[in-house]
Amino acid sequence: MTIYNGYRTKAATLRALRDAGYKFVSLLSRPNSNPKLAKNDKLGVVSAPLHLAPYNLSGFQVCAKASAGCAAACIHFAGNPAHMAGKDASRKDKTRAYFMHREAFMALLAFEIAALQRKAGKAKMRCAVRLNATSDLPFERRTIDVDGQTVSLMDHFADVQFYDYTAIPKRAIAWAKRDNNWQPNYHMTFSRKEDNDDDVRDVLAAGGNVAVVFHGNPFKHGFTARQLDAVEALGGQTLFDGDVSDYRPDDPRGVIVALKAKGDARKDESGFVI
């Protein structure tokens, strides 16, 4: 039995969080919880995301580089409106637990990652976790106490592939250069917004990947001349279809990961979507 941050079981951790006033029953969403994530199955990957309340909706800022464009297009607001109130309350609860009851939060996260890892093992598939599905936090710095020893969360789960998007250029460039002792099982993709084209060029020059959102379905219907001009201005030489799956660690290096606009992003006029 592995003890995380002094907690012996997931049930005991949940009881402690319930006693503190939190009502959520898990941190990670179930595997294949959305259509794009489900595409990872075809790659032999069982994956699950952690959804927190984006930017400062919870009273705590989790997206330090949020822009007006990305805030308006955030996938937090996608999905069935009938479930929005419950989803919003749950994600705010999780975010407050992260900041106010960090030890219990991290213990519960560790128990859930271990369970996902077992699930993947039984299915003879790879295991992946996306911790910043609707946030931009430095999980690479987070540690847990495992049976009395403090270790990095990602080092402890060395056989789990972690991957995220970030809009923080220093993180993306440090990851691309591997100059910050990054965990080998953590993959990072930089997010282009309407106000960070200079950062996009810097990340690409460092060998990192950049996610760019486009109107339409360019890999199906073709990129417009305006879109191709924008890509050239960003310094991108290779476009990669990011909608084939959600799993970014298998992407080639130094590419623009093209994503088609979905949900509210299809109405974007800020420049966040090209």
Side-chain angles (χ1 to χ4, degrees):
M1 176 188 296
T2 304
I3 301 174
Y4 293 121
N5 288 348
Y7 296 94
R8 294 181 177 273
T9 64
K10 176 182 176 179
T13 316
L14 274 172
R15 281 196 298 272
L17 288 165
R18 288 292 182 88
D19 289 345
Y22 303 106
K23 297 180 180 179
F24 55 82
V25 296
S26 67
L27 291 175
L28 296 178
S29 298
R30 67 184 187 280
N32 304 334
S33 56
N34 66 60
K36 188 176 178 186
L37 205 70
K39 293 179 180 179
N40 293 355
D41 267 8
K42 297 178 181 179
L43 304 177
V45 180
V46 173
S47 48
L50 171 65
H51 289 283
L52 300 180
Y55 33 101
N56 60 359
L57 289 185
S58 67
F60 294 95
Q61 179 59 263
V62 300
C63 302
K65 290 291 185 176
S67 69
C70 73
C74 183
I75 62 170
H76 172 73
F77 301 104
N80 190 331
H83 303 304
M84 187 62 208
K87 179 174 72 174
D88 186 69
S90 175
R91 292 179 181 181
K92 287 178 179 177
D93 247 10
K94 293 175 185 180
T95 309
R96 291 171 184 139
Y98 172 84
F99 284 98
M100 300 175 67
H101 292 85
R102 181 75 55 84
E103 287 195 3
F105 178 99
M106 293 303 299
L108 180 58
L109 182 60
F111 281 119
E112 292 187 14
I113 293 173
L116 185 71
Q117 190 175 29
R118 290 192 295 272
K119 179 182 177 70
K122 290 178 181 178
K124 297 184 179 179
M125 298 172 72
R126 291 181 287 172
C127 180
V129 176
R130 185 175 162 190
L131 294 173
N132 280 308
T134 43
S135 57
D136 198 350
L137 295 169
F139 279 100
E140 68 274 10
R141 301 179 191 171
R142 299 287 75 90
T143 60
I144 51 174
D145 185 290
V146 182
D147 296 333
Q149 299 292 322
T150 300
V151 298
S152 158
L153 174 73
M154 295 179 186
D155 285 342
H156 177 64
F157 291 106
D159 293 332
V160 174
Q161 177 68 61
F162 296 88
Y163 69 101
D164 276 324
Y165 294 85
T166 184
I168 302 173
K170 287 184 178 179
R171 288 183 78 211
I173 292 172
W175 180 86
K177 293 181 176 181
R178 297 297 199 280
D179 61 0
N180 224 13
N181 296 318
W182 286 86
Q183 294 89 341
N185 57 328
Y186 193 23
H187 185 277
M188 187 80 67
T189 302
F190 186 63
S191 294
R192 184 260 173 195
K193 302 180 298 171
E194 74 275 15
D195 60 358
N196 68 350
D197 284 357
D198 287 342
D199 295 327
V200 167
R201 286 185 276 269
D202 290 342
V203 172
L204 287 170
N209 290 359
V210 178
V212 180
V213 185
F214 293 88
H215 283 294
N217 190 343
F219 275 95
K220 183 176 181 180
H221 303 297
F223 290 83
T224 67
R226 182 178 179 181
Q227 288 172 335
L228 291 175
D229 287 345
V231 169
E232 184 177 359
L234 290 173
Q237 298 183 7
T238 303
L239 288 161
F240 183 80
D241 189 350
D243 286 310
V244 172
S245 78
D246 186 66
Y247 191 68
R248 302 272 66 86
D250 284 349
D251 293 352
R253 291 289 302 273
V255 300
I256 284 181
V257 180
L259 303 170
K260 62 183 178 183
K262 306 171 188 70
D264 289 343
R266 288 175 292 190
K267 299 177 288 186
D268 174 78
E269 295 181 356
S270 71
F272 173 74
V273 181
I274 296 177

